[in-house]
Amino acid sequence: MIFYDCATAPSPRRARMFIAEKGLRIETRQVDLRNDGHRQPDFLKLNPHGTVPVLITETGQSLTENIAIAAYLEALHPTPALMGDTADEKAAILMWNAICESHGGMAIAEALRNGSPALKGRALPGAVDFEQIPALAERGLKRLGLFFTTLETRLRDSDWLAGDSFSMADITGFVFCDFARIVKMPVPADNQATQAWMSKVQSRPSASL
């Protein structure tokens, strides 16, 4: 297998943490997003969308989405289970993973990509240029605040996002909460349950990657 990574981007960090939690060692190649490494012809052959992460499987298939990479590695290496064992566990993990992606990750992306001068003309990730929409930056920050409230409410009643055990959902939620600093809107200090959860995840070796 070959893993295409970018050390500074949140999406490949999710896959990187998942790989580490599985205890796997996979050949890794860095893609320089700042210098358009994701737009080079050789990389676009692997992923025409021009995004990372990408995992090339043992059979040569190119997996270009976090959920696909996680599902593939979970199937090959089911222990420790990061996507659940029972039907209820699997459903809860996928639900909270989706909540973190759509309400957290997308909110940060809206705020960053539509509000940063450095990303002018790059309002969406990948190989195609899109102009910024300033109103989406404002909306993104509002959505991020709502996401933080959602997490706090959940974590007051649950040790981990999807239940009693650390899972893929916690990786996704943690990475986006940590990356929220890029839009100068970190998790509020008063969100004590979320802060405690962040500290628990931060203490795991995979979080340092």
PDB file of all heavy atoms in Angstrom, residues 93-129:
ATOM      1  N   ILE A  93     -21.284   5.282  15.057  1.00  0.00           N
ATOM      2  CA  ILE A  93     -19.984   5.813  14.629  1.00  0.00           C
ATOM      3  C   ILE A  93     -20.109   6.514  13.288  1.00  0.00           C
ATOM      4  O   ILE A  93     -19.590   7.632  13.106  1.00  0.00           O
ATOM      5  CB  ILE A  93     -18.944   4.680  14.565  1.00  0.00           C
ATOM      6  CG1 ILE A  93     -18.605   4.208  15.979  1.00  0.00           C
ATOM      7  CG2 ILE A  93     -17.673   5.137  13.837  1.00  0.00           C
ATOM      8  CD1 ILE A  93     -17.831   2.907  16.040  1.00  0.00           C
ATOM      9  N   LEU A  94     -20.799   5.903  12.340  1.00  0.00           N
ATOM     10  CA  LEU A  94     -20.977   6.543  11.038  1.00  0.00           C
ATOM     11  C   LEU A  94     -21.796   7.827  11.156  1.00  0.00           C
ATOM     12  O   LEU A  94     -21.529   8.810  10.466  1.00  0.00           O
ATOM     13  CB  LEU A  94     -21.632   5.576  10.059  1.00  0.00           C
ATOM     14  CG  LEU A  94     -20.756   4.425   9.574  1.00  0.00           C
ATOM     15  CD1 LEU A  94     -21.563   3.483   8.678  1.00  0.00           C
ATOM     16  CD2 LEU A  94     -19.535   4.950   8.822  1.00  0.00           C
ATOM     17  N   MET A  95     -22.804   7.830  12.036  1.00  0.00           N
ATOM     18  CA  MET A  95     -23.615   9.027  12.221  1.00  0.00           C
ATOM     19  C   MET A  95     -22.783  10.177  12.775  1.00  0.00           C
ATOM     20  O   MET A  95     -22.804  11.294  12.228  1.00  0.00           O
ATOM     21  CB  MET A  95     -24.786   8.733  13.165  1.00  0.00           C
ATOM     22  CG  MET A  95     -25.687   9.953  13.406  1.00  0.00           C
ATOM     23  SD  MET A  95     -27.028   9.613  14.566  1.00  0.00           S
ATOM     24  CE  MET A  95     -26.118   9.597  16.136  1.00  0.00           C
ATOM     25  N   TRP A  96     -22.030   9.915  13.844  1.00  0.00           N
ATOM     26  CA  TRP A  96     -21.244  10.990  14.441  1.00  0.00           C
ATOM     27  C   TRP A  96     -20.074  11.401  13.553  1.00  0.00           C
ATOM     28  O   TRP A  96     -19.682  12.571  13.529  1.00  0.00           O
ATOM     29  CB  TRP A  96     -20.780  10.596  15.844  1.00  0.00           C
ATOM     30  CG  TRP A  96     -21.872  10.830  16.830  1.00  0.00           C
ATOM     31  CD1 TRP A  96     -22.706   9.904  17.386  1.00  0.00           C
ATOM     32  CD2 TRP A  96     -22.284  12.103  17.322  1.00  0.00           C
ATOM     33  NE1 TRP A  96     -23.620  10.520  18.201  1.00  0.00           N
ATOM     34  CE2 TRP A  96     -23.391  11.873  18.182  1.00  0.00           C
ATOM     35  CE3 TRP A  96     -21.849  13.412  17.124  1.00  0.00           C
ATOM     36  CZ2 TRP A  96     -24.052  12.911  18.848  1.00  0.00           C
ATOM     37  CZ3 TRP A  96     -22.504  14.446  17.780  1.00  0.00           C
ATOM     38  CH2 TRP A  96     -23.588  14.194  18.637  1.00  0.00           C
ATOM     39  N   ASN A  97     -19.555  10.477  12.796  1.00  0.00           N
ATOM     40  CA  ASN A  97     -18.516  10.842  11.830  1.00  0.00           C
ATOM     41  C   ASN A  97     -19.078  11.810  10.789  1.00  0.00           C
ATOM     42  O   ASN A  97     -18.449  12.811  10.443  1.00  0.00           O
ATOM     43  CB  ASN A  97     -17.981   9.583  11.145  1.00  0.00           C
ATOM     44  CG  ASN A  97     -16.783   9.856  10.276  1.00  0.00           C
ATOM     45  OD1 ASN A  97     -15.691  10.101  10.761  1.00  0.00           O
ATOM     46  ND2 ASN A  97     -16.971   9.817   8.968  1.00  0.00           N
ATOM     47  N   ALA A  98     -20.287  11.527  10.322  1.00  0.00           N
ATOM     48  CA  ALA A  98     -20.936  12.399   9.335  1.00  0.00           C
ATOM     49  C   ALA A  98     -21.273  13.751   9.936  1.00  0.00           C
ATOM     50  O   ALA A  98     -21.130  14.799   9.270  1.00  0.00           O
ATOM     51  CB  ALA A  98     -22.197  11.732   8.792  1.00  0.00           C
ATOM     52  N   ILE A  99     -21.725  13.775  11.187  1.00  0.00           N
ATOM     53  CA  ILE A  99     -22.019  15.051  11.854  1.00  0.00           C
ATOM     54  C   ILE A  99     -20.757  15.898  11.941  1.00  0.00           C
ATOM     55  O   ILE A  99     -20.779  17.109  11.653  1.00  0.00           O
ATOM     56  CB  ILE A  99     -22.609  14.795  13.254  1.00  0.00           C
ATOM     57  CG1 ILE A  99     -24.035  14.237  13.137  1.00  0.00           C
ATOM     58  CG2 ILE A  99     -22.608  16.079  14.092  1.00  0.00           C
ATOM     59  CD1 ILE A  99     -24.619  13.755  14.452  1.00  0.00           C
ATOM     60  N   CYS A 100     -19.657  15.280  12.321  1.00  0.00           N
ATOM     61  CA  CYS A 100     -18.399  16.025  12.432  1.00  0.00           C
ATOM     62  C   CYS A 100     -17.930  16.539  11.079  1.00  0.00           C
ATOM     63  O   CYS A 100     -17.393  17.658  10.985  1.00  0.00           O
ATOM     64  CB  CYS A 100     -17.325  15.152  13.071  1.00  0.00           C
ATOM     65  SG  CYS A 100     -17.632  14.774  14.808  1.00  0.00           S
ATOM     66  N   GLU A 101     -18.124  15.755  10.036  1.00  0.00           N
ATOM     67  CA  GLU A 101     -17.725  16.194   8.691  1.00  0.00           C
ATOM     68  C   GLU A 101     -18.590  17.347   8.197  1.00  0.00           C
ATOM     69  O   GLU A 101     -18.081  18.371   7.750  1.00  0.00           O
ATOM     70  CB  GLU A 101     -17.826  15.024   7.716  1.00  0.00           C
ATOM     71  CG  GLU A 101     -16.732  13.999   7.847  1.00  0.00           C
ATOM     72  CD  GLU A 101     -16.851  12.911   6.790  1.00  0.00           C
ATOM     73  OE1 GLU A 101     -17.984  12.652   6.312  1.00  0.00           O
ATOM     74  OE2 GLU A 101     -15.819  12.310   6.458  1.00  0.00           O
ATOM     75  N   SER A 102     -19.917  17.160   8.264  1.00  0.00           N
ATOM     76  CA  SER A 102     -20.813  18.130   7.630  1.00  0.00           C
ATOM     77  C   SER A 102     -21.012  19.385   8.453  1.00  0.00           C
ATOM     78  O   SER A 102     -21.134  20.482   7.894  1.00  0.00           O
ATOM     79  CB  SER A 102     -22.173  17.470   7.334  1.00  0.00           C
ATOM     80  OG  SER A 102     -22.774  16.991   8.523  1.00  0.00           O
ATOM     81  N   HIS A 103     -21.039  19.248   9.776  1.00  0.00           N
ATOM     82  CA  HIS A 103     -21.291  20.414  10.623  1.00  0.00           C
ATOM     83  C   HIS A 103     -20.009  21.062  11.146  1.00  0.00           C
ATOM     84  O   HIS A 103     -20.008  22.250  11.469  1.00  0.00           O
ATOM     85  CB  HIS A 103     -22.187  20.019  11.801  1.00  0.00           C
ATOM     86  CG  HIS A 103     -23.547  19.562  11.386  1.00  0.00           C
ATOM     87  ND1 HIS A 103     -24.593  20.427  11.125  1.00  0.00           N
ATOM     88  CD2 HIS A 103     -24.031  18.323  11.161  1.00  0.00           C
ATOM     89  CE1 HIS A 103     -25.667  19.739  10.772  1.00  0.00           C
ATOM     90  NE2 HIS A 103     -25.348  18.458  10.763  1.00  0.00           N
ATOM     91  N   GLY A 104     -18.936  20.278  11.251  1.00  0.00           N
ATOM     92  CA  GLY A 104     -17.665  20.806  11.724  1.00  0.00           C
ATOM     93  C   GLY A 104     -16.688  21.097  10.600  1.00  0.00           C
ATOM     94  O   GLY A 104     -16.317  22.241  10.356  1.00  0.00           O
ATOM     95  N   GLY A 105     -16.317  20.046   9.884  1.00  0.00           N
ATOM     96  CA  GLY A 105     -15.333  20.212   8.817  1.00  0.00           C
ATOM     97  C   GLY A 105     -15.788  21.159   7.726  1.00  0.00           C
ATOM     98  O   GLY A 105     -15.021  22.025   7.276  1.00  0.00           O
ATOM     99  N   MET A 106     -17.026  21.013   7.288  1.00  0.00           N
ATOM    100  CA  MET A 106     -17.529  21.890   6.227  1.00  0.00           C
ATOM    101  C   MET A 106     -17.644  23.337   6.698  1.00  0.00           C
ATOM    102  O   MET A 106     -17.427  24.276   5.924  1.00  0.00           O
ATOM    103  CB  MET A 106     -18.870  21.378   5.719  1.00  0.00           C
ATOM    104  CG  MET A 106     -18.770  20.103   4.910  1.00  0.00           C
ATOM    105  SD  MET A 106     -17.691  20.282   3.452  1.00  0.00           S
ATOM    106  CE  MET A 106     -18.589  21.533   2.546  1.00  0.00           C
ATOM    107  N   ALA A 107     -17.994  23.529   7.965  1.00  0.00           N
ATOM    108  CA  ALA A 107     -18.092  24.895   8.497  1.00  0.00           C
ATOM    109  C   ALA A 107     -16.720  25.571   8.488  1.00  0.00           C
ATOM    110  O   ALA A 107     -16.592  26.743   8.089  1.00  0.00           O
ATOM    111  CB  ALA A 107     -18.656  24.855   9.912  1.00  0.00           C
ATOM    112  N   ILE A 108     -15.701  24.843   8.916  1.00  0.00           N
ATOM    113  CA  ILE A 108     -14.344  25.404   8.906  1.00  0.00           C
ATOM    114  C   ILE A 108     -13.899  25.684   7.479  1.00  0.00           C
ATOM    115  O   ILE A 108     -13.301  26.736   7.191  1.00  0.00           O
ATOM    116  CB  ILE A 108     -13.363  24.447   9.601  1.00  0.00           C
ATOM    117  CG1 ILE A 108     -13.730  24.298  11.075  1.00  0.00           C
ATOM    118  CG2 ILE A 108     -11.922  24.938   9.449  1.00  0.00           C
ATOM    119  CD1 ILE A 108     -13.003  23.175  11.771  1.00  0.00           C
ATOM    120  N   ALA A 109     -14.194  24.758   6.572  1.00  0.00           N
ATOM    121  CA  ALA A 109     -13.806  24.952   5.174  1.00  0.00           C
ATOM    122  C   ALA A 109     -14.479  26.184   4.579  1.00  0.00           C
ATOM    123  O   ALA A 109     -13.850  26.953   3.843  1.00  0.00           O
ATOM    124  CB  ALA A 109     -14.170  23.713   4.361  1.00  0.00           C
ATOM    125  N   GLU A 110     -15.767  26.369   4.882  1.00  0.00           N
ATOM    126  CA  GLU A 110     -16.464  27.562   4.388  1.00  0.00           C
ATOM    127  C   GLU A 110     -15.791  28.838   4.883  1.00  0.00           C
ATOM    128  O   GLU A 110     -15.547  29.768   4.108  1.00  0.00           O
ATOM    129  CB  GLU A 110     -17.923  27.547   4.847  1.00  0.00           C
ATOM    130  CG  GLU A 110     -18.827  26.638   4.057  1.00  0.00           C
ATOM    131  CD  GLU A 110     -20.278  26.773   4.478  1.00  0.00           C
ATOM    132  OE1 GLU A 110     -20.560  27.423   5.520  1.00  0.00           O
ATOM    133  OE2 GLU A 110     -21.135  26.236   3.758  1.00  0.00           O
ATOM    134  N   ALA A 111     -15.509  28.865   6.186  1.00  0.00           N
ATOM    135  CA  ALA A 111     -14.922  30.063   6.779  1.00  0.00           C
ATOM    136  C   ALA A 111     -13.522  30.331   6.237  1.00  0.00           C
ATOM    137  O   ALA A 111     -13.180  31.469   5.881  1.00  0.00           O
ATOM    138  CB  ALA A 111     -14.882  29.928   8.297  1.00  0.00           C
ATOM    139  N   LEU A 112     -12.710  29.282   6.151  1.00  0.00           N
ATOM    140  CA  LEU A 112     -11.322  29.449   5.708  1.00  0.00           C
ATOM    141  C   LEU A 112     -11.225  29.781   4.230  1.00  0.00           C
ATOM    142  O   LEU A 112     -10.593  30.754   3.831  1.00  0.00           O
ATOM    143  CB  LEU A 112     -10.539  28.169   6.015  1.00  0.00           C
ATOM    144  CG  LEU A 112      -9.101  28.115   5.491  1.00  0.00           C
ATOM    145  CD1 LEU A 112      -8.265  29.204   6.137  1.00  0.00           C
ATOM    146  CD2 LEU A 112      -8.492  26.735   5.753  1.00  0.00           C
ATOM    147  N   ARG A 113     -11.865  28.981   3.412  1.00  0.00           N
ATOM    148  CA  ARG A 113     -11.669  29.100   1.972  1.00  0.00           C
ATOM    149  C   ARG A 113     -12.371  30.310   1.372  1.00  0.00           C
ATOM    150  O   ARG A 113     -11.972  30.787   0.309  1.00  0.00           O
ATOM    151  CB  ARG A 113     -12.110  27.809   1.284  1.00  0.00           C
ATOM    152  CG  ARG A 113     -11.146  26.661   1.566  1.00  0.00           C
ATOM    153  CD  ARG A 113     -11.373  25.470   0.671  1.00  0.00           C
ATOM    154  NE  ARG A 113     -10.215  24.581   0.706  1.00  0.00           N
ATOM    155  CZ  ARG A 113      -9.155  24.685  -0.058  1.00  0.00           C
ATOM    156  NH1 ARG A 113      -9.081  25.646  -0.960  1.00  0.00           N
ATOM    157  NH2 ARG A 113      -8.145  23.837   0.043  1.00  0.00           N
ATOM    158  N   ASN A 114     -13.388  30.796   2.051  1.00  0.00           N
ATOM    159  CA  ASN A 114     -14.075  31.979   1.531  1.00  0.00           C
ATOM    160  C   ASN A 114     -13.646  33.260   2.227  1.00  0.00           C
ATOM    161  O   ASN A 114     -14.070  34.349   1.827  1.00  0.00           O
ATOM    162  CB  ASN A 114     -15.590  31.801   1.667  1.00  0.00           C
ATOM    163  CG  ASN A 114     -16.128  30.765   0.708  1.00  0.00           C
ATOM    164  OD1 ASN A 114     -16.285  31.019  -0.477  1.00  0.00           O
ATOM    165  ND2 ASN A 114     -16.399  29.567   1.223  1.00  0.00           N
ATOM    166  N   GLY A 115     -12.801  33.138   3.255  1.00  0.00           N
ATOM    167  CA  GLY A 115     -12.394  34.322   3.992  1.00  0.00           C
ATOM    168  C   GLY A 115     -10.910  34.625   3.965  1.00  0.00           C
ATOM    169  O   GLY A 115     -10.492  35.723   4.327  1.00  0.00           O
ATOM    170  N   SER A 116     -10.085  33.678   3.529  1.00  0.00           N
ATOM    171  CA  SER A 116      -8.640  33.884   3.542  1.00  0.00           C
ATOM    172  C   SER A 116      -8.151  34.472   2.219  1.00  0.00           C
ATOM    173  O   SER A 116      -8.373  33.885   1.155  1.00  0.00           O
ATOM    174  CB  SER A 116      -7.928  32.553   3.787  1.00  0.00           C
ATOM    175  OG  SER A 116      -6.526  32.688   3.609  1.00  0.00           O
ATOM    176  N   PRO A 117      -7.460  35.618   2.275  1.00  0.00           N
ATOM    177  CA  PRO A 117      -6.892  36.191   1.050  1.00  0.00           C
ATOM    178  C   PRO A 117      -5.934  35.235   0.343  1.00  0.00           C
ATOM    179  O   PRO A 117      -5.814  35.258  -0.885  1.00  0.00           O
ATOM    180  CB  PRO A 117      -6.159  37.437   1.548  1.00  0.00           C
ATOM    181  CG  PRO A 117      -6.861  37.805   2.827  1.00  0.00           C
ATOM    182  CD  PRO A 117      -7.233  36.488   3.439  1.00  0.00           C
ATOM    183  N   ALA A 118      -5.273  34.380   1.107  1.00  0.00           N
ATOM    184  CA  ALA A 118      -4.309  33.447   0.520  1.00  0.00           C
ATOM    185  C   ALA A 118      -4.985  32.392  -0.351  1.00  0.00           C
ATOM    186  O   ALA A 118      -4.331  31.760  -1.172  1.00  0.00           O
ATOM    187  CB  ALA A 118      -3.507  32.765   1.624  1.00  0.00           C
ATOM    188  N   LEU A 119      -6.308  32.237  -0.172  1.00  0.00           N
ATOM    189  CA  LEU A 119      -7.037  31.231  -0.938  1.00  0.00           C
ATOM    190  C   LEU A 119      -7.954  31.864  -1.970  1.00  0.00           C
ATOM    191  O   LEU A 119      -8.899  31.222  -2.439  1.00  0.00           O
ATOM    192  CB  LEU A 119      -7.835  30.328   0.011  1.00  0.00           C
ATOM    193  CG  LEU A 119      -6.977  29.423   0.904  1.00  0.00           C
ATOM    194  CD1 LEU A 119      -7.833  28.734   1.949  1.00  0.00           C
ATOM    195  CD2 LEU A 119      -6.224  28.401   0.070  1.00  0.00           C
ATOM    196  N   LYS A 120      -7.654  33.069  -2.357  1.00  0.00           N
ATOM    197  CA  LYS A 120      -8.437  33.738  -3.388  1.00  0.00           C
ATOM    198  C   LYS A 120      -8.441  32.885  -4.661  1.00  0.00           C
ATOM    199  O   LYS A 120      -7.399  32.461  -5.138  1.00  0.00           O
ATOM    200  CB  LYS A 120      -7.864  35.120  -3.688  1.00  0.00           C
ATOM    201  CG  LYS A 120      -8.662  35.918  -4.713  1.00  0.00           C
ATOM    202  CD  LYS A 120      -8.076  37.310  -4.872  1.00  0.00           C
ATOM    203  CE  LYS A 120      -8.801  38.086  -5.972  1.00  0.00           C
ATOM    204  NZ  LYS A 120     -10.234  38.253  -5.686  1.00  0.00           N
ATOM    205  N   GLY A 121      -9.631  32.609  -5.184  1.00  0.00           N
ATOM    206  CA  GLY A 121      -9.746  31.754  -6.360  1.00  0.00           C
ATOM    207  C   GLY A 121      -9.667  30.275  -6.059  1.00  0.00           C
ATOM    208  O   GLY A 121      -9.754  29.445  -6.971  1.00  0.00           O
ATOM    209  N   ARG A 122      -9.524  29.939  -4.778  1.00  0.00           N
ATOM    210  CA  ARG A 122      -9.407  28.520  -4.369  1.00  0.00           C
ATOM    211  C   ARG A 122     -10.452  28.209  -3.287  1.00  0.00           C
ATOM    212  O   ARG A 122     -10.148  27.623  -2.254  1.00  0.00           O
ATOM    213  CB  ARG A 122      -8.005  28.241  -3.826  1.00  0.00           C
ATOM    214  CG  ARG A 122      -6.861  28.462  -4.818  1.00  0.00           C
ATOM    215  CD  ARG A 122      -6.761  27.314  -5.807  1.00  0.00           C
ATOM    216  NE  ARG A 122      -5.616  27.446  -6.696  1.00  0.00           N
ATOM    217  CZ  ARG A 122      -4.408  26.938  -6.450  1.00  0.00           C
ATOM    218  NH1 ARG A 122      -4.192  26.286  -5.328  1.00  0.00           N
ATOM    219  NH2 ARG A 122      -3.428  27.088  -7.314  1.00  0.00           N
ATOM    220  N   ALA A 123     -11.679  28.612  -3.537  1.00  0.00           N
ATOM    221  CA  ALA A 123     -12.711  28.486  -2.513  1.00  0.00           C
ATOM    222  C   ALA A 123     -13.107  27.039  -2.226  1.00  0.00           C
ATOM    223  O   ALA A 123     -13.730  26.759  -1.206  1.00  0.00           O
ATOM    224  CB  ALA A 123     -13.950  29.283  -2.905  1.00  0.00           C
ATOM    225  N   LEU A 124     -12.750  26.123  -3.108  1.00  0.00           N
ATOM    226  CA  LEU A 124     -12.974  24.701  -2.871  1.00  0.00           C
ATOM    227  C   LEU A 124     -11.656  23.956  -3.073  1.00  0.00           C
ATOM    228  O   LEU A 124     -10.832  24.370  -3.902  1.00  0.00           O
ATOM    229  CB  LEU A 124     -14.035  24.146  -3.829  1.00  0.00           C
ATOM    230  CG  LEU A 124     -15.477  24.612  -3.588  1.00  0.00           C
ATOM    231  CD1 LEU A 124     -16.400  24.077  -4.682  1.00  0.00           C
ATOM    232  CD2 LEU A 124     -15.973  24.163  -2.222  1.00  0.00           C
ATOM    233  N   PRO A 125     -11.438  22.885  -2.309  1.00  0.00           N
ATOM    234  CA  PRO A 125     -10.199  22.130  -2.494  1.00  0.00           C
ATOM    235  C   PRO A 125     -10.190  21.397  -3.822  1.00  0.00           C
ATOM    236  O   PRO A 125     -11.236  21.167  -4.435  1.00  0.00           O
ATOM    237  CB  PRO A 125     -10.223  21.146  -1.324  1.00  0.00           C
ATOM    238  CG  PRO A 125     -11.673  20.973  -1.017  1.00  0.00           C
ATOM    239  CD  PRO A 125     -12.314  22.296  -1.290  1.00  0.00           C
ATOM    240  N   GLY A 126      -8.988  21.070  -4.270  1.00  0.00           N
ATOM    241  CA  GLY A 126      -8.894  20.258  -5.472  1.00  0.00           C
ATOM    242  C   GLY A 126      -8.311  20.976  -6.659  1.00  0.00           C
ATOM    243  O   GLY A 126      -7.670  22.027  -6.547  1.00  0.00           O
ATOM    244  N   ALA A 127      -8.570  20.422  -7.836  1.00  0.00           N
ATOM    245  CA  ALA A 127      -7.897  20.850  -9.058  1.00  0.00           C
ATOM    246  C   ALA A 127      -8.642  21.925  -9.841  1.00  0.00           C
ATOM    247  O   ALA A 127      -8.131  22.435 -10.835  1.00  0.00           O
ATOM    248  CB  ALA A 127      -7.673  19.639  -9.955  1.00  0.00           C
ATOM    249  N   VAL A 128      -9.853  22.282  -9.424  1.00  0.00           N
ATOM    250  CA  VAL A 128     -10.662  23.259 -10.151  1.00  0.00           C
ATOM    251  C   VAL A 128     -10.799  24.526  -9.315  1.00  0.00           C
ATOM    252  O   VAL A 128     -11.053  24.461  -8.114  1.00  0.00           O
ATOM    253  CB  VAL A 128     -12.064  22.692 -10.475  1.00  0.00           C
ATOM    254  CG1 VAL A 128     -12.899  23.721 -11.229  1.00  0.00           C
ATOM    255  CG2 VAL A 128     -11.933  21.404 -11.282  1.00  0.00           C
ATOM    256  N   ASP A 129     -10.632  25.675  -9.942  1.00  0.00           N
ATOM    257  CA  ASP A 129     -10.706  26.962  -9.238  1.00  0.00           C
ATOM    258  C   ASP A 129     -12.151  27.425  -9.086  1.00  0.00           C
ATOM    259  O   ASP A 129     -12.955  27.337 -10.026  1.00  0.00           O
ATOM    260  CB  ASP A 129      -9.911  28.035  -9.992  1.00  0.00           C
ATOM    261  CG  ASP A 129      -8.410  27.771  -9.941  1.00  0.00           C
ATOM    262  OD1 ASP A 129      -7.961  27.091  -9.014  1.00  0.00           O
ATOM    263  OD2 ASP A 129      -7.701  28.275 -10.836  1.00  0.00           O
TER     264      ASP A 129
END
